[in-house]
Amino acid sequence: MEQSLEHKRHTLAHLLAAAVLVDYPHAKLTLGPAIDNGFYYDIDFSAETAPGDDDLKKIQKHMKKMLGHWIDFSHKEVSAAEAREVFTNNSFKLELIEEIAAKGETITLYTAGAGTKAEFTDLCRGGHCENPAQEIDADAFKLDKIAGAYWRGDETKPMLTRIYGLAFDTAEELKAYELQLEEAKKRDHRKLGKELGLFSFSELVGAGLPLWSPKGTQLRKRIDDFVQALRAEKGYENVTIPHIAKKSLYETSGHWNKYSEDLFKVRAKEGDDSDEYVLKPMNCPHHTQIYDAAPRSYRDLPQRYAETTMVYRAEQSGELSGLTRVLSITQDDAHVFCRESQLEDEIIAIWDIVDTFYGAFGFMLKVRLSFRDPATPEKYLGEADVWDTSEAMMRTIAEKRGADYFVGLGEAAFYAPKIDFMAMDSIGRTHQVATIQLDRLQPERFNLACINEAGEKERVIMIHAAIAGSLERFIAVLIEHLGGNFPLWLAPEQVRIIPVSDVHLSYATEVHAKLLAVGLRATLDAHNDSMGKKIRNAKQARLPYFMVLGDKEVAGGSVTLEGRNDTSDTVSLSAAANRLLAEVEAKVI
Amino acid sequence: MEQSLEHKRHTLAHLLAAAVLVDYPHAKLTLGPAIDNGFYYDIDFSAETAPGDDDLKKIQKHMKKMLGHWIDFSHKEVSAAEAREVFTNNSFKLELIEEIAAKGETITLYTAGAGTKAEFTDLCRGGHCENPAQEIDADAFKLDKIAGAYWRGDETKPMLTRIYGLAFDTAEELKAYELQLEEAKKRDHRKLGKELGLFSFSELVGAGLPLWSPKGTQLRKRIDDFVQALRAEKGYENVTIPHIAKKSLYETSGHWNKYSEDLFKVRAKEGDDSDEYVLKPMNCPHHTQIYDAAPRSYRDLPQRYAETTMVYRAEQSGELSGLTRVLSITQDDAHVFCRESQLEDEIIAIWDIVDTFYGAFGFMLKVRLSFRDPATPEKYLGEADVWDTSEAMMRTIAEKRGADYFVGLGEAAFYAPKIDFMAMDSIGRTHQVATIQLDRLQPERFNLACINEAGEKERVIMIHAAIAGSLERFIAVLIEHLGGNFPLWLAPEQVRIIPVSDVHLSYATEVHAKLLAVGLRATLDAHNDSMGKKIRNAKQARLPYFMVLGDKEVAGGSVTLEGRNDTSDTVSLSAAANRLLAEVEAKVI
């Protein structure tokens, strides 16, 4: 976020605190930072009745009134003793003062609206507007909602009231953000997923474990088939691994030591350590064992293994939400085992796949080259010149492709740089999606090599390259990106045939069979409902197309093809089928 | 097994014991039954050196010599005291005598060759030849091997020496059986799987957890695609479920109470019961939850869910072997939810799929109708007339299809009858394969219903219907059935292109690209090896076809297509491609 905007948001947190004290003089202030879309302040209302959502308007009114008086922001350094004096009744601030003092840092008090009835002083490190009244547009912020939050995020400590505000530079930006939120709510994948019958959850099965219906499974398959087809063109081959492995696999890979708490442990009998397995949290360790199952010559390289398979990571059940946080994550995973000299071609091939894949869904991609932080070379494993070469190569590729990229220093893994892709959706949100991750660590740990031209053992390098990433998360993003309006090639149900009445049913049955025969996912609505209801149902199901068949169509051997966007066209059955097949083939969005 | 053959085998166990005592007078006999392919005797040699495989010939010689003297088999009833007297030095026989006496049963001693130097008496229940010398063909049995076995199969008890013998009615049958064994050994899927590079095991991953290479995954995919295509024709739809579920799912299904020991338990943290999951041992409980995720009208039925997915069952690691006993079992599973009135059509549809599927691989099918035992009606759940109707329907279907079937009384599950299919392979072995299993229990337990024409809740019935069953086990059987010679449509590598020398490489590359373009799994052998070596490699890889390209072929734009069975034909490239494609399409075995 721009520094000036951050200053505004931080200033507004102070203003919120000052406004709260008007009607709640016994409230104890704690901390109030700027955040991504505005600001919040955590306040202890244990000495009086805390405000509810209904009270936000009133507090906001106070804020706007006080803002006019805030024409400056001054500060002074104080001793710990002086600070304790000021906040003598506020145990939270006293705790903060002790901490600052213990670190030997300077304690500062910031005052806005000095000398006016809106004067307000708070313990603070600074970072505000110089003249809030002039700099802040009173129509560019608003209080948003109230939530609970533990003091310092620690559930053993007191529960505070958090008041959130939204704030932007201009009223237009605030409005746009609110529209985006509203649109996102309408497109919520949890709501649409249920309406469209794509997936469900069962209490018996458990939270975070989606069950995919036939329609949802169709959607998954279309997406995965697309990835696999793009991969096949680049020489990837599918492999198959089980979902468990002995603990020893993860001890060797290093995951056991680092992430043991996030791993699901598996055993048949309690307390039998020899029988301990791990439910795989990732696929790379298993794939190394397929690479290592046979001696490899340099002529066999690259080996490119792809597999769409579920991995499992233990999340707190409170953190599980729709498809974005699940326990069973389907990765369209792939690993390339190659020589250093083959890296560039392999990265370009993956980048091609990523571009084609996300382009087909209408996502704009932004790329972060995640490099090491040159200020802290000791944090990274391996020779500096190997890092330099890899990073320079990545930058050259990005340049050549004309990618919309930036460099993220310090964003590399400790063993190699990576390329991270961010997708911007149709309502302006960005989502971290695919990654191209070099890995020189696992080949070391698993001792993976090939025999080179000189007959010597040569260490290989691995590339991790999921495209959709997690199918669950990708589908959540996709549903919201498209508002559930899947393009024809993706739609689980592509076209529904609606006979006007029973006398048209036999023609409709014939049309249905013909569409199925050419490979279209067609259905026939033979229910006893009215035409109007059938059409409403088809629209509510967000079908790309439906066909209405009545006297005219039966007589002419034609169909009336109605599109989702109220297009309508009466054409011959074969013309309609060909039009749909061409639209599928071209993956029209 | 025929009773007369069983009597011969049992008699031979006695003869083996008698023959052992010739050279090992201190051996203590324990138990010696007839088994499927012959007989064995468990003997305690702790008082002297036990025989090894090298000694079997000598013992067998004694057997043949003694057999001539065994022209009768007599028995007498004795008191426990008398029996104890006879076996006073044999603690094993004394233990058996106590057991028989405790049950109040008669104790009998059987003697063969009475009055001759081959006379031999043993504690026994009977079931022998009346005149062994006359009835048993001395060329129709032979001693086979020696193994260890615990007394009464209990590992806390003494280890005994088990001597196995093979025995049949005729010498020809013995020979045929030995040839089958020899052939099976050559075709062993563990050996061929490694040679053909289909799958491997890793110590780090663990026993019983196969890792499938690109070739093995191709094979799996071809088989699974075939099942899915047959299913799609019958209206099955794919669904997707996670591999774990809360314990509560299996408490409801009843599996937790019955099979808890065989289930893998999954949790992130030790001792946190609320977090306990189960690694699914089967898919039906999850699939019931997809059925139950929406209200179902009778018009929505049958719902047919198919899914190829891994299930996990805890086996002792000592029991794991190749692909036939694994921890990760891939089931090509399916469940139909329907009304009683739809059962017949659904069973016929599944039977069609089973016949087409196994027929395509050249398996002969035998069918067992697994019905309830009318002698013990109390063992079965549900109304007798519902059972009668289902069983009669199954029998009628079997009759109408002209299936090779028999009825297995008492082979039903306790909640419904089933249809079991047995496949006979090319070397005469039979394997239990697909099953059509009715289930009225889980719909009760999960309260699964539809709303019928009268607007009332109506209980549905489930059908379980895996086709290949376990892909691992099916592939093990298939590899041995075919001796690794996969038909063209299944072969991971269908045709290999072998240029005679470097000057033919560019034509070979062109041919390779064209074959790939028409969808054939073609490879190019561009290595620097000699022609002879390349051809030997292609044959060793059991490829259906390879193509040799030299001067003649380059000049004529042709290819020389060599088949696995030494067929050879020089034709145009397009003619060769079309021939192969037609062979794939027709699934020629």
Side-chain angles (χ1 to χ4, degrees), chain B residues 352-366:
Chain B
D352 284 348
I353 297 172
V354 170
D355 275 352
T356 309
F357 180 80
Y358 286 93
F361 299 100
F363 288 109
M364 302 289 292
L365 284 181
K366 214 178 170 66

Side-chain angles (χ1 to χ4, degrees), chain A residues 23 106 123 145 196 222 333 379 385 428 445 448 504:
Chain A
D23 293 324
T106 312
L123 178 76
K145 62 182 176 188
L196 303 179
R222 293 281 92 71
D333 212 356
K379 282 190 178 171
D385 60 337
R445 287 181 162 272
L448 304 181
H504 311 108

Side-chain angles (χ1 to χ4, degrees), chain B residues 100-133:
Chain B
I100 304 170
K103 286 193 220 156
E105 292 172 2
T106 311
I107 301 173
T108 47
L109 299 182
Y110 277 78
T111 299
T116 73
K117 57 184 174 178
E119 177 172 323
F120 174 73
T121 298
D122 205 354
L123 178 75
C124 187
R125 285 220 173 91
H128 309 100
C129 304
E130 291 188 8
N131 183 339

